[in-house]
Amino acid sequence: MRQADTPRVTVVVPAYNEDEHIVPVLDRLFESVHLQCEVLVVVDSEDDTTIPVVTEYALKEPRIRCVINTYGRGPANAIRFGIDAAAAPVAVVTMADGCDDPRQIDDLARLVDRGVAVAAASRYMPGGQQVGGPILKGLMSKSAGRSLKLLAHIGTRDATNSFKAYSTDFVRKVGIDSRDGFELGIELTAKAKRLRMPVAEIPTIWLDRQAGMSNFKVAKWIPGYLRWYRFAFGRRLSAEQIRAYGQKMGRDRDR
């Protein structure tokens, strides 16, 4: 890819059997993003029903392509794969269910352009809102986000939200150790805090998905969230120390 053609932002969209439900989500995304971009829809297998829909969509929109994650099943691995494949210096993760507001992708990417490691779309800061969704999940997320902001000074009130922009250079320095659910968002926010790199936020309005079914598994993924919640507290670490911690955690997980 020539330098002039290098996108300013890579939009990573993990998807699982979204079928035609993804079409209006992609329509809104391309209407909203004005920065030069590429969009990577990441699926886990060749028989995912999202693939033929995105393949047809790409005939009219060359900035999009569907890629098959080879890191293992699940949203964390799909997001890891997408960020590793990103051609841009900024990667924005947004969901295929239409819950996120794509009009904010440009603003999140520009915050990373200005030097932050992680830019979060926050449901829990003034101007933000969560509309719908499981009550218990929302209470847990809000409590985690606000307590991390107050006690760990983490830079955002919504560390658990997956709708974030990342410096790809930062991500490649510290690595991604999540392997199961959406705890990757809190993981990278906590790593930025321990590395003492800036985290910023803008308000967002999150709307529960209107079509299809959610793949969010609260009980299964709670341990991962708690692990990275605790990691947010502590002294400054180097990127090498953070990587060593992640490798140790991986060994403990695999026992």
Side-chain angles (χ1 to χ4, degrees):
M1 183 178 290
R2 295 176 304 171
Q3 186 171 2
D5 297 330
T6 302
R8 286 183 62 186
V9 58
T10 297
V11 182
V12 177
V13 186
Y16 178 74
N17 287 336
E18 288 292 337
D19 200 66
E20 294 288 340
H21 296 310
I22 200 171
V23 172
V25 177
L26 296 176
D27 287 342
R28 288 192 294 271
L29 192 156
F30 284 108
E31 288 170 3
S32 303
V33 177
H34 301 293
L35 294 176
Q36 188 170 354
C37 72
E38 65 171 352
V39 176
L40 304 180
V41 178
V42 188
V43 299
D44 284 342
S45 63
E46 294 182 355
D47 60 354
D48 193 292
T49 62
T50 314
I51 294 177
V53 178
V54 174
T55 301
E56 182 177 355
Y57 199 97
L59 296 177
K60 65 175 182 179
E61 178 47 78
R63 292 174 292 177
I64 191 172
R65 58 192 173 102
C66 199
V67 295
I68 299 175
N69 157 38
T70 60
Y71 289 176
R73 288 183 173 271
N77 285 316
I79 294 169
R80 269 201 316 136
F81 185 89
I83 293 178
D84 279 352
V90 181
V92 176
V93 177
T94 186
M95 298 299 104
D97 56 15
C99 295
D100 302 323
D101 185 350
R103 294 174 299 176
Q104 297 178 304
I105 290 174
D106 284 357
D107 290 338
L108 291 168
R110 287 190 176 102
L111 279 172
V112 176
D113 281 345
R114 291 172 59 191
V116 307
V118 180
S122 174
R123 298 162 288 184
Y124 309 132
M125 69 179 293
Q129 187 179 359
Q130 177 166 316
V131 181
I135 294 174
L136 177 61
K137 172 189 167 187
L139 287 173
M140 292 172 60
S141 172
K142 183 180 293 186
S143 298
R146 289 183 170 177
S147 59
L148 281 173
K149 179 68 165 62
L150 178 65
L151 301 175
H153 308 289
I154 206 166
T156 174
R157 299 165 182 83
D158 199 353
T160 63
N161 196 359
S162 296
F163 187 25
K164 289 185 173 74
Y166 303 102
S167 159
T168 54
D169 181 64
F170 156 72
V171 174
R172 289 161 187 165
K173 281 181 180 176
V174 299
I176 296 174
D177 299 294
S178 297
R179 294 294 184 269
D180 296 316
F182 291 103
E183 68 266 24
L184 181 147
I186 192 171
E187 172 192 342
L188 289 174
T189 308
K191 286 182 173 180
K193 171 61 170 55
R194 295 297 296 271
L195 200 59
R196 299 300 189 259
M197 294 189 71
V199 175
E201 65 180 357
I202 60 174
T204 193
I205 296 178
W206 182 93
L207 299 174
D208 193 25
R209 70 178 299 156
Q210 302 301 304
M213 295 181 61
S214 172
N215 294 307
F216 197 93
K217 303 175 180 66
V218 175
K220 180 180 178 182
W221 296 339
I222 282 177
Y225 281 91
L226 289 175
R227 189 179 300 118
W228 292 113
Y229 181 97
R230 293 192 296 267
F231 182 75
F233 297 86
R235 62 183 177 83
R236 181 174 185 169
L237 297 178
S238 67
E240 292 75 19
Q241 289 171 316
I242 290 173
R243 275 193 169 273
Y245 173 87
Q247 290 166 1
K248 177 181 181 300
M249 192 179 69
R251 290 193 296 270
D252 292 343
R253 181 186 59 230
D254 296 337
R255 285 176 183 169

